[in-house]
Amino acid sequence: MVTMACPSQHCFNNLFDFLDCMFCVFVRQEQRMKNIKMGALSFRSSFVFFALVFVAHALLLALPTAAESEVDDESHFTYLEGTGKGPKDWGRIDPHWRACGTGKLQSPIDLLNERVQIFPHLGKLKRDYKPAPAIVKNRGHDISVMWKGYAGQININGTYYKLLQCHWHSPSEHTFNGSRYALELHAVHESSHGAIAVIAIVYKYGRPDPLLKELLEHIKVVDKEDIELGVINPGLIKFGSRKYFRYIGSLTIPPCTEGVVWTIVRKVID
């Protein structure tokens, strides 16, 4: 059983799920129109076709891509309110960050509020990670591990997303019924069409995490220069549970681009 937080009654994991649904509607529309004279059928079919093309084009423009990914330079923003650069001001700092102030699907959210609904059909989260060369990078607002080679992928409802990087936020960005925890890992993935999917795992103080334990000596000393890590196995990321939340949200720092598929493991790891 998995849960999904949706901004509305109808929620799709990605553009392709939406188009599959729209195609089924189109086929049913054609079947109902069989007994109508050809002139009306031709007009209605053409209208539906061009409507689908228009909607698909609009959604493709809305999808976050690698080119619209989180900014690397933190000097233009901060997490501190009252500085003129805090989260409430992000949408006014740069025109490209307007979604931070006006977006309707912004992340993070609280995961146990009334927006969360049950969707049993989502199925298990399928991942197939591979060891690959990586670097550790200090982006100012976080420490990230970026894989330079193919590090595997995840499968969400038939769409494959390649693993690009993972990073940590402290304290956690997502909350559970108002509770914020010590740490949150984000594993960032990208599909062949440029769509972004993020897996988030929240931690509380407890046993050493296998991945962090291997990287700790490098994380402690990384500054402006990237550090080559050699081959790092992303399989060291422990999910801790097969139950998860899913919702459509945004990047959590500028430019706050919406359309990100979020998967958050329900268990808080210790």
Side-chain angles (χ1 to χ4, degrees):
M1 184 73 70
V2 294
T3 57
M4 184 168 185
C6 293
S8 63
Q9 182 179 359
H10 303 287
C11 194
F12 303 92
N13 288 313
N14 51 54
L15 172 63
F16 306 102
D17 292 344
F18 175 83
L19 290 180
D20 286 343
C21 178
M22 292 296 287
F23 178 73
C24 291
V25 172
F26 177 74
V27 171
R28 289 197 296 270
Q29 178 74 0
E30 289 290 278
Q31 291 174 341
R32 287 197 298 267
M33 296 292 290
K34 278 185 177 180
N35 296 326
I36 300 177
K37 59 184 180 179
M38 290 301 296
L41 175 60
S42 177
F43 173 79
R44 184 70 60 85
S45 299
S46 298
F47 175 81
V48 173
F49 173 77
F50 286 112
L52 284 174
V53 171
F54 175 81
V55 171
H57 178 70
L59 287 175
L60 281 170
L61 290 176
L63 284 173
T65 65
E68 299 171 297
S69 60
E70 297 175 336
V71 297
D72 285 338
D73 182 5
E74 72 160 358
S75 62
H76 300 298
F77 71 93
T78 179
Y79 286 98
L80 299 176
E81 297 291 6
T83 61
K85 298 181 179 181
K88 291 182 180 179
D89 299 303
W90 288 354
R92 296 189 291 270
I93 294 174
D94 187 311
H96 296 97
W97 301 357
R98 192 173 295 113
C100 299
T102 61
K104 304 301 183 184
L105 299 174
Q106 288 294 290
S107 298
I109 65 171
D110 186 88
L111 295 165
L112 297 184
N113 64 21
E114 63 276 6
R115 290 174 61 193
V116 179
Q117 303 175 38
I118 303 299
F119 285 82
H121 65 278
L122 285 178
K124 296 179 180 178
L125 180 65
K126 301 176 182 178
R127 59 173 177 160
D128 181 23
Y129 289 157
K130 310 288 185 183
I135 61 171
V136 63
K137 183 181 184 70
N138 185 345
R139 301 196 297 176
H141 58 273
D142 64 29
I143 301 295
S144 62
V145 173
M146 299 184 173
W147 278 273
K148 298 169 67 177
Y150 175 70
Q153 61 191 5
I154 59 173
N155 181 340
I156 298 178
N157 289 352
T159 298
Y160 290 93
Y161 299 81
K162 293 182 180 179
L163 176 63
L164 300 180
Q165 52 107 333
C166 70
H167 59 265
W168 295 264
H169 294 272
S170 181
S172 69
E173 295 193 315
H174 289 88
T175 56
F176 291 73
N177 201 22
S179 297
R180 196 176 301 278
Y181 291 89
L183 191 70
E184 182 171 336
L185 176 143
H186 292 166
V188 182
H189 306 73
E190 184 182 20
S191 76
S192 60
H193 296 275
I196 296 175
V198 181
I199 296 175
I201 304 173
V202 174
Y203 300 83
K204 58 185 176 182
Y205 290 108
R207 292 170 294 180
D209 175 73
L211 181 60
L212 275 175
K213 184 178 180 180
E214 181 168 327
L215 299 174
L216 189 58
E217 62 179 284
H218 302 291
I219 290 175
K220 286 181 177 180
V221 299
V222 65
D223 194 11
K224 294 181 180 179
E225 297 294 328
D226 302 342
I227 296 178
E228 296 283 345
L229 297 174
V231 174
I232 296 295
N233 182 9
L236 291 173
I237 300 173
K238 301 302 180 185
F239 282 28
S241 174
R242 293 184 177 181
K243 297 180 180 179
Y244 56 91
F245 299 99
R246 177 167 296 150
Y247 75 100
I248 306 300
S250 72
L251 301 176
T252 60
I253 68 168
C256 307
T257 310
E258 296 184 337
V260 175
V261 181
W262 279 94
T263 301
I264 297 94
V265 176
R266 288 182 64 180
K267 181 180 179 181
V268 178
I269 308 297
D270 59 13

